[in-house]
Amino acid sequence: MALAACVAMPATAQEAGEEESESATTLAGLVVTAQKREEVLQDVPISITALPEQLLQDTGVRDVKDLQVLVPGLTVTSTQSEAQTTARIRGIGTVGDNPGLESSVGVVIDGVYRPRNGVGFGDLGEIERIEVLKGPQGTVFGKNTSAGVINVITRRPDYNTYVDGELTVGNYGALGVAGTFNSALGDNSAMRVYAAKRKRDGWMDVHTGNGPRREDEDYDQNFHSLRGQLLLEPTDTLDINFIADFTSREENCCTAVTLVRGGTAPLVDALAPDEGVSPVADPEARQAWGNRGTEQDIKDKGLSMELNWETPWLGGATLTSITAQRDWDAINGLDYDYSTADIIYRNADEDESLIAFDTFTQELRLTGSTDSFDWMVGGFYSDEDLKRNDSYRMGAAYEPYVSTLVFQRVAAGITAAGLPIDMSNPATFFSQVTGQPYGTGFAGLGALDRYEQDAKSYALFTNNTWHATDALDLTLGLRYTREDKELDSRYSNPNGSPGCAAALANPAGGVAQALLARGVPLGALTPAQQAALLGQLAPQVVGFMCLPWANALQAGRATHQEREEKEWSGTLKAAYRWNDQVMTYASAARGYKAGGFNFDRVQSADGQSSSGAGIIPVDDTSFPGEFVDSYELGAKTTWMEGNLLLNATLFHQTYEDFQLNSFLGTSFVVRSIPEVVSKGVDTELLWDTPLEGLMLQAGLTYADTRYGDETPTADFVFPGSLYKLPGSRASFAPLWSGSASVTYEWDFGGSLMGRFNLGGKYMSDFNTGSDLDAEKAQEAYAVFNARLGIGSRDRRWMVELWGQNIFDEYYTQVAFDAPLQAPGSPAPGDPLNSYNGFPGAPATYGVTLRVHY
């Protein structure tokens, strides 16, 4: 029953169909390039899902996020903006909210590694095929990854002259136009230009209160892309392909829905001109509250050159060189409190909100073969300059909101001690502690930080297969990687943090002053009792008055951090072909992903990042590299004269120092999990049925991915925020995920054809929060896409009716603690805590016209 995801006909088979070729074609001849050489899919000892152009088009895949509907075991989510996108394979991936963390799942587009998942999640244009490789792949790809690779191959120029056009209209005001011009420039050169413009209204309704936000919709679409290629083939043994591309996205994203309305919600409501937050938690209504903008401005551009030369050396070995320079900038406004109360936010301004990658990469490979030996040696170099500007602004509601929250705690402590206290006007409590006028201690631009990282990566790698017998292949891959990173961080508090500074000057005295102003008879207590009471209350009060963005101890800090890593990784595989129908293989691999630095204000009780909550700034925000020992046992089988492929892989992966990025209510903290184990089975089916024109693809993955029992820091022991992790199933790790797709193509009339596709993805229940709070659980769900096309048999034109998520299934991509609105304990069901979520897209549908001349 366990059958897995979509391997399908490559472009060569499609082109044969376009030319109405009568030559026999079977699925057994499917070709992939997962090991940097053309190989038949059924001979490659890797768990791989290969997705061709037609299937991607049928299921509406335009970016890698759309891809997950076709690949069991792949989960792709977005959070604060579309730039914060994360891919996970078998439950393993890196949370995308911190650019200091590299991706466990790598994205490679036309041989060029993209430094983070979000950088590679734009419109992919004309896709020839996508290969999803599961498990570590460091010995065949330039950049090492620990969980897998999404390898995207787009269409190259050819020597025919033609124009392709596409016009799409859909609900939510969707309008898209795309076109391609391809032509030969002579006998030895060709060019290809692709351009696209797509717009769509937002599908999230936003209550904006008194603004200044005026956009009452979110998750809209507005981007344009341009991509040009020049292919030169001066000789029969040399080809050079140049690519230049540019994409601009100017959209609004991302607000969040209310999943749980907790005890802080009435206070937010009272400080807002309208409801503040959702009066009743109803996430399926897809309504959000936010008075500040979520404008996102993303620019992605690059140049690359790929050279392939069949040399006169070593029996005609092929030299491949891929050189690329890429720039990616993202600016994103954010309403941190996700409400219409003006509490805390970030402006969409480059000076206050910027993530920018400037990356140069160079990969060299020399590939050759003899009758008994296939070999490849390569080198990789990257120079990545990463810049981040980060900020927090406090609005007029910040001081009354936080002051009231803190006073409620203080008052509970006072009454528990049997003392009276004036409960009126709790919003003024902070001003009573500081002695400053109400409304002046916490306002304006509280934090404005600059992070600049230079990261250089050097690697040598080799992957070699010995054909020991006609049936037995042995593969050895090895990689040596050196990573050098330097980070300079500068922290500033433009508003001077007057509230925190005053509290720090005399913590106990300030709290005593406020209590006396509220009629607490401290004089009735002995000096020892006073000291005990203030010693209990003052740290809590000061802790909330000196949250990271308001902490006077952070102002003016400048830190410099360096780290160097030198690591070996590799793989050993054995593949045995029992006959023409059955190949089995076993593999062992050691994978590695570099460590790095946390790009955020980190503070703790003693200045160590591993310690508990506190206000002492942490200078050392580094975290170590992530390692994996991966073992696989697989079988690839071919049936029905090559028209049925049935493959399965058992896997067991043990991760060391797994990099977990968790939002703990006020900041993102990186924790290294000593052990994460992922084990299960990947299976896949591809069947070109006896009914002409009917193709079935299906897949099922069982992955039991769990954290180890270790408790490396106090966060992992109750009441620490991560106490639920030890021994539990990892977040974003459904036990079961399955995909299925059925495609039927038929001819009718004198010259017409029809094509129908229905595809779906099922996910069993899983948790969408890095801390595994019960409130962040996502029930099992399934999403289906459908497409029906009618066109000419020569494919000159086609009209397609399509729908994505056709049953309008609601699901939460990522759930999180509502910032500053979850002051209760991390125990399940604490009534004080509110939770928000970023929902998946609703049902969308439309019509697409395609023409080819």
Side-chain angles (χ1 to χ4, degrees), residues 647-680:
N647 302 331
T649 304
L650 290 169
F651 62 87
H652 188 286
Q653 303 173 133
T654 301
Y655 286 80
E656 304 169 27
D657 290 329
F658 177 75
Q659 297 164 3
L660 180 71
N661 189 32
S662 299
F663 180 67
L664 302 184
T666 59
S667 63
F668 288 94
V669 176
V670 180
R671 293 287 185 250
S672 292
I673 310 297
E675 182 179 84
V676 176
V677 175
S678 180
K679 57 186 177 181

Side-chain angles (χ1 to χ4, degrees), residues 462-671:
T462 182
N463 199 73
N464 310 285
T465 299
W466 174 39
H467 307 294
T469 69
D470 289 342
L472 176 63
D473 288 346
L474 299 176
T475 299
L476 173 65
L478 196 62
R479 179 189 183 93
Y480 174 76
T481 304
R482 173 180 168 180
E483 300 276 353
D484 295 330
K485 293 183 177 180
E486 295 186 13
L487 172 64
D488 288 294
S489 308
R490 291 177 290 122
Y491 306 87
S492 67
N493 296 17
N495 68 355
S497 301
C500 172
L504 289 174
N506 187 8
V511 174
Q513 171 182 284
L515 295 179
L516 290 171
R518 290 185 170 270
V520 178
L522 294 179
L525 303 177
T526 67
Q529 290 173 326
Q530 288 187 37
L533 180 63
L534 296 175
Q536 175 188 359
L537 296 178
Q540 298 182 44
V541 174
V542 173
F544 278 96
M545 297 181 77
C546 297
L547 292 170
W549 49 81
N551 191 348
L553 299 178
Q554 297 277 7
R557 295 176 57 236
T559 63
H560 177 81
Q561 302 182 72
E562 297 183 14
R563 66 179 294 113
E564 180 183 82
E565 299 175 4
K566 299 177 181 179
E567 301 293 345
W568 289 91
S569 54
T571 185
L572 180 64
K573 302 173 184 175
Y576 191 83
R577 179 160 287 286
W578 300 87
N579 50 47
D580 290 341
Q581 287 74 45
V582 179
M583 185 272 281
T584 58
Y585 66 93
S587 70
R590 173 73 164 175
Y592 157 72
K593 184 186 76 163
F597 307 103
N598 188 350
F599 284 42
D600 207 344
R601 289 193 171 193
V602 183
Q603 53 193 52
S604 70
D606 58 5
Q608 302 296 316
S609 62
S610 60
S611 300
I615 63 171
I616 307 299
V618 172
D619 290 335
D620 181 5
T621 66
S622 64
F623 49 87
E626 179 178 293
F627 296 87
V628 58
D629 292 321
S630 176
Y631 302 94
E632 294 189 354
L633 185 64
K636 296 195 172 184
T637 66
T638 305
W639 308 84
M640 299 181 65
E641 298 181 344
N643 289 310
L644 174 63
L645 307 183
L646 180 59
N647 302 331
T649 304
L650 290 169
F651 62 87
H652 188 286
Q653 303 173 133
T654 301
Y655 286 80
E656 304 169 27
D657 290 329
F658 177 75
Q659 297 164 3
L660 180 71
N661 189 32
S662 299
F663 180 67
L664 302 184
T666 59
S667 63
F668 288 94
V669 176
V670 180
R671 293 287 185 250

Side-chain angles (χ1 to χ4, degrees), residues 39 56 66 83 99 101 131 262 285 328 412 507 522 594 601 628 668 726 768 819:
E39 297 175 288
L56 296 169
D66 297 332
L101 285 90
E131 299 170 355
W328 184 87
L522 294 179
R601 289 193 171 193
V628 58
F668 288 94
T768 69

Side-chain angles (χ1 to χ4, degrees), residues 36-77:
K36 299 301 183 182
R37 64 176 75 243
E38 289 191 353
E39 297 175 288
V40 174
L41 173 68
Q42 295 300 86
D43 290 336
V44 180
I46 296 175
S47 179
I48 176 175
T49 298
L51 307 168
E53 179 181 20
Q54 186 62 64
L55 180 61
L56 296 169
Q57 181 176 301
D58 286 341
T59 49
V61 173
R62 297 195 184 279
D63 59 33
V64 183
K65 193 172 184 181
D66 297 332
L67 182 66
Q68 60 185 323
V69 75
L70 293 172
V71 184
L74 173 66
T75 306
V76 186
T77 58

Side-chain angles (χ1 to χ4, degrees), residues 333-350:
L334 183 61
D335 191 339
Y336 281 111
D337 54 86
Y338 299 95
S339 76
T340 52
D342 199 23
I343 300 175
I344 190 166
Y345 63 97
R346 180 178 68 200
N347 282 333
D349 178 88
E350 180 177 342

Side-chain angles (χ1 to χ4, degrees), residues 200-418:
R200 189 198 64 214
D201 297 335
W203 46 257
M204 179 84 85
D205 293 327
V206 182
H207 300 258
T208 62
N210 288 338
R213 179 183 179 129
R214 290 292 174 259
E215 299 85 2
D216 59 2
E217 293 178 346
D218 208 60
Y219 293 87
D220 61 340
Q221 188 179 82
N222 178 28
F223 73 84
H224 59 268
S225 294
L226 181 64
R227 178 184 179 90
Q229 298 186 68
L230 174 62
L231 175 64
L232 304 178
E233 296 181 310
T235 70
D236 292 340
T237 60
L238 176 65
D239 69 76
I240 308 171
N241 193 44
F242 298 90
I243 302 176
D245 65 274
F246 174 79
T247 298
S248 175
R249 301 180 62 171
E250 298 175 356
E251 302 161 341
N252 295 281
C253 190
C254 300
T255 51
V257 297
T258 298
L259 300 177
V260 176
R261 178 182 163 94
T264 61
L267 176 56
V268 176
D269 295 345
L271 293 169
D274 55 5
E275 304 91 345
V277 294
S278 179
V280 177
D282 183 15
E284 296 189 28
R286 292 190 173 92
Q287 295 192 26
W289 275 254
N291 68 307
R292 295 287 178 172
T294 55
E295 303 94 333
Q296 65 177 17
D297 185 356
I298 302 174
K299 300 290 188 291
D300 184 18
K301 58 185 176 182
L303 296 169
S304 67
M305 180 190 76
E306 179 176 342
L307 178 150
N308 292 283
W309 176 34
E310 185 179 329
T311 72
W313 316 319
L314 303 173
T318 299
L319 175 67
T320 299
S321 171
I322 303 175
T323 308
Q325 176 70 49
R326 299 207 60 84
D327 294 303
W328 184 87
D329 299 340
I331 300 169
N332 185 224
L334 183 61
D335 191 339
Y336 281 111
D337 54 86
Y338 299 95
S339 76
T340 52
D342 199 23
I343 300 175
I344 190 166
Y345 63 97
R346 180 178 68 200
N347 282 333
D349 178 88
E350 180 177 342
D351 188 57
E352 299 182 20
S353 167
L354 174 69
I355 299 176
F357 288 91
D358 184 353
T359 309
F360 172 81
T361 57
Q362 174 63 59
E363 183 174 349
L364 288 171
R365 297 193 307 271
L366 189 63
T367 307
S369 63
T370 66
D371 290 341
S372 60
F373 196 61
D374 296 334
W375 56 271
M376 184 265 286
V377 293
F380 177 77
Y381 169 75
S382 73
D383 186 352
E384 173 192 285
D385 291 324
L386 169 56
K387 180 179 180 181
R388 184 185 193 189
N389 297 336
D390 195 26
S391 64
Y392 291 82
R393 285 183 173 270
M394 291 173 279
Y398 181 88
E399 182 171 339
Y401 175 76
V402 182
S403 179
T404 301
L405 281 183
V406 174
F407 175 72
Q408 290 172 348
R409 291 192 171 196
V410 169
I414 294 297
T415 55

Side-chain angles (χ1 to χ4, degrees), residues 695-746:
M695 176 77 74
L696 300 177
Q697 302 95 8
L700 190 66
T701 292
Y702 172 82
D704 186 8
T705 304
R706 293 183 176 272
Y707 299 117
D709 294 327
E710 299 83 359
T711 55
T713 69
D715 293 327
F716 293 82
V717 180
F718 186 83
S721 299
L722 304 178
Y723 83 92
K724 304 180 187 72
L725 270 62
S728 298
R729 185 148 49 98
S731 55
F732 304 98
L735 278 176
W736 296 95
S737 66
S739 67
S741 175
V742 55
T743 304
Y744 181 56
E745 184 175 304
W746 70 98

